[in-house]
Each structure stands twice: as structure tokens, then as C-alpha cells.
Amino acid sequence: RNVFVGARNLPVVGGIRAGYFKEPFGLEETTSSNDISFMERSSTDTFIERRNLGVMLHRRFTEDQTVTGAFGFYRDADDNLDVGDGFGLTGRLTAAPLLSDDGRRVVHLGVAGTIRRPEDDLLRFAARPTSAQAQPLADTGRFRADEELRLGLEFGLVSDSFSFQTETIVAASDGGSATGDPVFWATYLMGSYVLTGEHRSYRPRVGAFGSVHPSDPFGETGIGAFEIGARYGYVDLDSGNINGGRLHDWTVGLNWYANDNLRVMLNYIVAHPEGFGYEQILQTRLQIVL
């Protein structure tokens, strides 16, 4: 999905990248889909831009390179590289003030922001349960927005086999009296524990988490690694003159890492749009990474 050219280890700027790739925004979004603890990303995904066409500067700071920064200019583009008239300035700064014991002890901090001019001066945010098969249960519909600002805060922790992660994203837009200048937000809290003693890895180069690596792969000397997790997410799309709804989402999961290339995932999801009932989802995935 990524198509870009770039260079690293340049004087002063560090690195540069140009093409179609992810904007530097969000801890869970920066973490590869091969490595996230649940089958789908959390409620804050409602406000993530993902890939666009742009130019980005990025570098690592400090002698141990545990502080990262990235900043870029992007034009809105779809998967076919058709470019619209929307654009944005996006940046992210992360730090790992604690990174020791070969990654068994990690504290991650991050902040990100993007200032955008929406395509056709129109915006829409829609939140669905954390399942790719589900339909949106909270939706603003299209509304006028001359410009918008999104801010994100990140925190992550690894302590031996336990890990914890949370993010909050706020999205504010300026659309005049018709919309009442709405401010929407989303957050999540998630924790996981590796029952077989391994730990979730961390990638200081990009300021994101990696996968669990089994100490005793299945079929060789052991049974692989087993991980359990739980997550709560919340999205509020009610603000100003827009009543998009509020969505609560609970997920519990079980992961089996047979080896570094094969994972089996099981997720049970309960989603509750305020004022309505509950949607329950049971889903599983066989994931092979080569």
C-alpha cells in the first residue's frame, strides 16, 4: 500500500520521504496491523487519516535515539492516487524515557497534531464497532468545515508480560454558525498479558510497539505464546449543531503466537450506541506474515 522514495541519515534533517504513505499520527496507527493486540484498531481510528500523498521529514534525537520526530505536508489522495483539493500539515513527537531489560520495561509518550483544509470544505466522521465487518453506529453525516485541527496524546507501558496503552484524540472544526464549530473526541484504554512469560516488543526507531515473539515456538520446543487482552473505547460525535451519537465499545481477546510468522486471534466485541441497544460480535483471524 505504501509507494515512496526516501533517504536516511542526512545532515540536520535526518531523513526525508516522498510518495504515498501513512501520515505520522497516532500510536496504534503507527503500529503495524501485523503487531496490534486486537484484530482491528480502536475507537480513535475514527479520526485517523491513514495514507495520503506527501513529503515528510523524520529523525531520531538523543544519543540512544529514543526520541523521534516527524513532520509532513500531505494532499488528500485515495488508493488510486487520485488527488483531491484537501491538504494538511501533520506532525508527531515521541519519547521512550524508559527502555531497558531488552524491551521488557518500556514507557512510551507521544503527542501528534494535524491542521487540515478538508476536501470540498466538507467533513464526515463515522464510528463503527471494532470489527471490519460492522456498519457505523455513530455518524455525523457530511457537514461544512472550512478548516480543522486534530490533536492526539499517547501513553504506553510494558512491564514484563503486562502491557498497557491509551490514546485520546480531539477533532475541532470551523464551519460557522451552521455547524456550531463542533469538537469531537475519542479515547481507549487497553491492557494485555502474555501468559507464557514473553513480552510485547517496542520499536524505538518509529515510536511504536511490535509483536510478541514466542520463546518456544510451536512444533519445535514448545507451544508458542498465549496472550489475553481487554479494551474499552469511546467516541463522542455530539457537538455544536451536530448529533452524530456516542459509541461505547468493549473488546476481549485471546491470541496464540505459534511462531514469529503465524498468529491465531479470537475477539469478542460488545458495542453500545447511547440510546440504542447492544451489538455483539465474535470473530477470529488466522494471520500469516512472511
Side-chain angles (χ1 to χ4, degrees):
R1 297 181 182 179
N2 299 305
V3 182
F4 61 85
V5 295
R8 292 187 291 181
N9 302 319
L10 299 176
V12 182
V13 300
I16 187 170
R17 177 180 296 180
Y20 183 73
F21 54 92
K22 284 184 178 181
E23 297 190 21
F25 193 96
L27 171 58
E28 197 174 41
E29 180 61 26
T30 305
T31 301
S32 169
S33 59
N34 296 329
D35 301 330
I36 55 177
S37 299
F38 297 90
M39 288 176 58
E40 304 295 341
R41 292 184 170 91
S42 67
S43 302
T44 53
D45 197 54
T46 304
F47 303 119
I48 297 296
E49 279 295 315
R50 288 197 177 87
R51 294 168 177 83
N52 274 314
L53 200 64
V55 178
M56 179 181 74
L57 299 177
H58 59 95
R59 66 169 298 172
R60 300 189 297 276
F61 303 91
T62 70
E63 185 175 348
D64 58 4
Q65 299 186 340
T66 56
V67 177
T68 74
F71 178 81
F73 172 79
Y74 298 86
R75 292 292 304 271
D76 292 348
D78 59 22
D79 290 344
N80 296 318
L81 301 184
D82 292 329
V83 180
D85 62 2
F87 61 88
L89 296 171
T90 304
R92 180 173 181 252
L93 180 67
T94 74
L98 175 62
L99 179 56
S100 63
D101 296 345
D102 294 325
R104 296 191 72 92
R105 300 190 184 280
V106 180
V107 171
H108 166 93
L109 303 173
V111 60
T114 181
I115 301 174
R116 314 191 71 83
R117 175 61 63 91
E119 185 172 355
D120 298 328
D121 293 331
L122 293 173
L123 270 179
R124 178 189 179 190
F125 296 119
R128 65 184 181 190
T130 50
S131 169
Q133 309 305 316
Q135 297 299 313
L137 297 181
D139 192 340
T140 63
R142 291 191 176 274
F143 63 94
R144 180 173 178 81
D146 298 325
E147 57 187 26
E148 61 163 327
L149 170 67
R150 302 181 202 176
L151 295 174
L153 295 176
E154 314 165 6
F155 175 78
L157 169 72
V158 173
S159 179
D160 289 326
S161 297
F162 173 75
S163 72
F164 174 80
Q165 182 175 319
T166 182
E167 289 184 78
T168 298
I169 295 178
V170 177
S173 61
D174 179 9
S177 59
T179 61
D181 298 337
V183 178
F184 308 117
W185 69 284
T187 190
Y188 70 85
L189 303 166
M190 59 163 278
S192 68
Y193 188 82
V194 185
L195 301 173
T196 44
E198 295 86 348
H199 65 93
R200 197 176 183 199
S201 60
Y202 184 71
R203 303 171 59 205
R205 171 177 287 185
V206 294
F209 288 100
S211 185
V212 173
H213 301 288
S215 299
D216 299 310
F218 177 75
E220 296 181 19
T221 60
I223 60 172
F226 286 87
E227 178 187 32
I228 56 173
R231 178 176 64 190
Y232 167 72
Y234 175 75
V235 182
D236 185 349
L237 297 182
D238 279 351
S239 183
N241 299 326
I242 298 175
N243 298 309
R246 299 183 177 98
L247 178 64
H248 302 263
D249 186 282
W250 296 267
T251 305
V252 292
L254 172 65
N255 297 326
W256 174 49
Y257 301 83
N259 51 49
D260 285 339
N261 305 102
L262 188 144
R263 175 168 65 160
V264 178
M265 310 176 75
L266 177 67
N267 284 184
Y268 173 63
I269 302 157
V270 177
H272 172 52
E274 286 189 7
F276 299 91
Y278 293 82
E279 180 173 352
Q280 301 180 64
I281 302 168
L282 182 66
Q283 58 186 22
T284 185
R285 174 178 294 160
L286 171 65
Q287 176 180 295
I288 300 174
V289 180
L290 301 177

